[in-house]
Amino acid sequence: MTEPNHEKEPAMSRRKMLAALGLAGAAMSFGRAAASGSSVMDSVYGTKKRCECANVRSVDELRTRAPDCAGEQVVLEGYYGSTPGVGGGILVAVQGGFTDDGGSLFQSGKPGWFWKRTGSFLTVEDFGVARGSDTSAAARNAERLTAAFQVTGYTVSATPRMTYIYDGDVIVASASMLDCRKAVFQGITGCIRIASTGCVVHSPVLDDSLRTDNRRAMLIEADHVQVVHAEFRGNGHQECCLEITGSSVSVSHSRLRDASYMILATTGRGTRITGNYFTGGNSKAVLNEARTVATTVPWGDAIKLTSDPNDLANNHATGRHDNIITGNIFDDVYRDCVDMFTDGSRTIFSHNVITNHHWNILDIKCIYRDLPVNGTSLNPGRREESVIAAGNLIKNVDNPYASGESLFSVVHYKNPESGGKVTDYGLGPNKIKIYGNSIDGAFGYVFRALDSHDVSYCDNEHFNMINNAVYITGESGTRHIDVDRNKFYYANGKDNWGNPLQVIRRTSANCTRGSVSGNTFVCYKKDGFRGAVAAVVMGNRMTAKGNTGEGFDIVVDAARGTDLLCDGTVAHDGKIAVRVGQYGTVTGARVSGTYASSCVQVVAVHTANTAKLIMVDNDGIDISGTAYSDVSAIVNRVERNNSVM
């Protein structure tokens, strides 16, 4: 109630009050009953009925109470009578065309009148959401959370670090913000569905320890949604923690763990995934493509960019375009950091930290391999393209070499050479740029490209390498593949084996117009053993210029192909600087500017497989042997060579 302002009261009113008080005193002096306070106020302001503040125990009781006048206030002790103090507050009587939403507005016991909460900030408890671990309230909580997140006239928040159990979908239809304040939402079934465009989801904790279904904790189906400071606690068997079907969705500064796919982006465009922490995977079971049968093979991609399998043959299906994945930490993730199953076009993967990894880091592939199963490919009209991986720090990766996996994989399909698949480089991944990454310790391949076009792997550093590093080939060939200015440092000699760099031609196909130039290969010999071959180059019109190798049997192996240019190779402490024609016919090769020291040979030529060879300006010092001596039948020109054939 509003207190009167005595400074503005007219003098007569004050005199009237004094007179009334005087009459009351006179009555008392004559032994009459004392005048009540209300009679005093009545004598001053009259006898008109005034609104008073009352207490009600619960919302059920509140809905039966009829207000006497607009502005009348009541104190709600609690949403439910059994939990006083939770969901209570002050409400005021209003009249008009309102709707009872079960939280901010309640129908009163008087038609056309409502009780409305005061202030502009509400909590989910104000809508009847129950706190704690009691699962009996879970179904009702899903309903009440949905009601809370549809209100637009208030800022609705959760109580900090409180636990709420729900069973069934919680639909966020219109809220502009979910201020969750690290509150824990435990789903039994269903998920939290963000259907409000532009909604900001701030600091929820999604705990799936009670979950009985295998789908997701949160689904973002609206556009321009932001998820910030969230925590997703997968339980090791569900399909994903967070599924994204909306466009221009941002997920930042969040923690995700233990699911088949921690983020599953299935449709839409323009996903931003920045500053997050990913770990673990699916420790119990992984679902098949139809999501009907589970195996017991551990699985777990941190991020999967894909589309519905039924869209593989749809030329007009939406794609995952313009994705930015940067500044994240991937620690001990079971499988791929990012799996681009069908829709990873125009993706930037940069400045991430990857540690203790077990599979591919970036799996770039255009899959149309099994339609039908006999291997005849069906082109869906989409392919991965314009993918950039730059500035990432990678340490300790034990991806399985036997399965042909690699840190950066540019392929149609895992091991197409072993599966008899029909593929086409023209339909495969293209415009792939991988540069400026630092890799420290990797067991399997680092970079692998099959059936691809316009791919460059440049300016990367590799330390403590063990096995093959770069492997480029293809069923039907690759085109314009550049592997330039990289550094490869091997520490174990022949304790393990491998050729750091292979740009090769398969039996039935060619690599064409590629460059292997400016690379440095160092093998720190152990127990007198050297590394194997630094760079194997096969194909047509391939260029190998300015490569340096130390501690390898062979620095550059121009093994097979036509019109190979091999210029400026430098070899130290090895056997052969350049070898020509070892694994097949080499026609029209030019070997020039080779320099070797503490080696056995400068240039070694396999006479049976070599034709039209040009050797110019090759030099060696401290050479302990020579190559083949009779090359007159296979060469066009031999000039200015020192310690030459």
Side-chain angles (χ1 to χ4, degrees), residues 284-407:
K284 299 179 182 178
V286 59
L287 296 173
N288 63 2
E289 188 175 36
R291 300 172 180 168
T292 56
V293 179
T295 70
T296 56
V297 178
W299 199 267
D301 295 340
I303 301 167
K304 186 166 186 176
L305 306 177
T306 185
S307 62
D308 192 291
N310 296 324
D311 289 336
L312 288 178
N314 181 1
N315 294 338
H316 304 291
T318 58
R320 301 292 319 165
H321 294 296
D322 304 313
N323 308 291
I324 295 177
I325 303 170
T326 185
N328 302 284
I329 296 176
F330 301 89
D331 180 30
D332 197 21
V333 174
Y334 285 6
R335 298 274 292 197
D336 301 341
C337 290
V338 181
D339 184 4
M340 299 179 182
F341 194 76
T342 55
D343 295 316
S345 295
R346 296 193 293 277
T347 293
I348 296 175
F349 181 81
S350 70
H351 300 91
N352 301 285
V353 176
I354 300 98
T355 59
N356 305 312
H357 195 60
H358 305 285
W359 210 259
N360 299 320
I361 289 174
L362 193 61
D363 195 355
I364 307 167
K365 55 194 174 191
C366 181
I367 292 186
Y368 56 94
R369 69 213 186 264
D370 292 332
L371 304 170
V373 179
N374 62 15
T376 301
S377 298
L378 175 65
N379 174 23
R382 304 196 308 282
R383 62 182 176 186
E384 314 300 2
E385 60 183 1
S386 301
V387 177
I388 294 174
N392 300 287
L393 301 178
I394 303 160
K395 185 175 178 61
N396 296 336
V397 180
D398 60 353
N399 53 318
Y401 171 76
S403 299
E405 303 298 338
S406 61
L407 274 65

Side-chain angles (χ1 to χ4, degrees), residues 525-585:
K525 294 189 299 182
K526 184 176 182 180
D527 300 327
F529 290 111
R530 298 185 180 91
V533 181
V536 179
V537 181
M538 304 187 193
N540 299 325
R541 287 177 280 176
M542 302 290 292
T543 300
K545 298 178 64 176
N547 297 291
T548 299
E550 178 181 346
F552 283 87
D553 286 345
I554 302 167
V555 176
V556 175
D557 198 346
R560 183 171 57 201
T562 61
D563 304 322
L564 301 178
L565 174 60
C566 185
D567 179 64
T569 303
V570 177
H572 301 286
D573 193 17
K575 289 185 177 180
I576 302 171
V578 178
R579 183 169 65 179
V580 181
Q582 181 67 22
Y583 299 120
T585 301

Side-chain angles (χ1 to χ4, degrees), residues 462-529:
H462 312 75
F463 303 95
N464 298 309
M465 299 301 297
I466 296 174
N467 228 311
N468 290 337
V470 174
Y471 185 72
I472 300 173
T473 181
E475 292 272 330
S476 60
T478 54
R479 303 290 190 273
H480 297 293
I481 309 298
D482 298 327
V483 183
D484 299 333
R485 301 181 305 279
N486 301 284
K487 296 180 180 179
F488 301 88
Y489 296 92
Y490 279 67
N492 293 325
K494 283 190 175 178
D495 286 359
N496 291 282
W497 64 274
N499 304 321
L501 196 157
Q502 298 185 69
V503 181
I504 73 172
R505 181 184 76 171
R506 291 180 53 78
T507 303
S508 61
N510 295 316
C511 296
T512 302
R513 296 191 298 277
S515 171
V516 180
S517 301
N519 300 287
T520 299
F521 308 92
V522 177
C523 180
Y524 297 105
K525 294 189 299 182
K526 184 176 182 180
D527 300 327
F529 290 111

